[in-house]
Amino acid sequence: MSHPIMLAAAKHLTTAEKRRKTAREAAFRAWGPRSITAASKYARTLLGDAAVTLDWEVLGLLSFEEHLQAFASLDTTGGQHLELYYTDQGGTERISLRVSCVSCPSQHVHEVTSLEQLGQLLSQTPAWQDISPRDGGNL
């Protein structure tokens, strides 16, 4: 017969594992909505009122307790896919523009620091012809 301390240790371990699993599941359920809310709020602060139209989605899962992340698809044009990525790791929030080739592995990521700077980044993409408000798309 097993020593009582062995049974107590096994019971304690099982109880602790159940508690951790429940905590992880609860954190995961809250992590997605927290990521979306944080992305929306920071985008509006950084990019202005037009950012409320962004449709943020949860991006994967990285250590959900401290790393919030989400993305918003902007457009696919001229063989390039444009997305905004939000991340908050350890209280440092960032939004980046990711420009990726639809038919190849090429991609470029640029940190976005203002609405004007986002416009400058977009002016270097094929999407600019469709979105430029003046001169037929030329700066």
Side-chain angles (χ1 to χ4, degrees):
M1 183 156 157
S2 299
H3 193 279
I5 194 72
M6 293 169 61
L7 296 174
K11 183 177 180 182
H12 183 76
L13 175 64
T14 303
T15 301
E17 285 177 351
K18 280 184 182 178
R19 211 173 24 254
R20 283 190 292 274
K21 180 181 178 191
T22 300
R24 278 193 309 271
E25 288 171 354
F28 179 73
R29 284 191 299 277
W31 178 83
R34 281 184 23 236
S35 292
I36 300 297
T37 300
S40 297
K41 184 177 176 182
Y42 185 66
R44 188 161 184 204
T45 300
L46 187 68
L47 304 173
D49 291 338
V52 299
T53 61
L54 291 169
D55 186 20
W56 293 99
E57 297 180 45
V58 175
L59 176 68
L61 180 60
L62 289 176
S63 183
F64 51 78
E65 291 148 1
E66 80 248 3
H67 189 169
L68 301 177
Q69 56 184 6
F71 75 98
S73 183
L74 298 179
D75 197 4
T76 300
T77 184
Q80 291 184 329
H81 187 66
L82 308 169
E83 296 173 313
L84 289 178
Y85 280 81
Y86 167 81
T87 183
D88 177 356
Q89 189 168 17
T92 302
E93 293 180 293
R94 287 190 175 93
I95 289 183
S96 300
L97 174 66
R98 186 180 107 170
V99 180
S100 57
C101 177
V102 173
S103 61
C104 66
S106 173
Q107 73 174 355
H108 302 281
V109 179
H110 307 277
E111 186 170 356
V112 175
T113 57
S114 68
L115 189 59
E116 180 180 356
Q117 193 249 352
L118 176 60
Q120 290 171 347
L121 292 169
L122 292 172
S123 74
Q124 300 167 21
T125 69
W128 189 249
Q129 295 299 321
D130 297 330
I131 62 174
S132 176
R134 62 185 178 122
D135 296 333
N138 298 315
L139 281 177

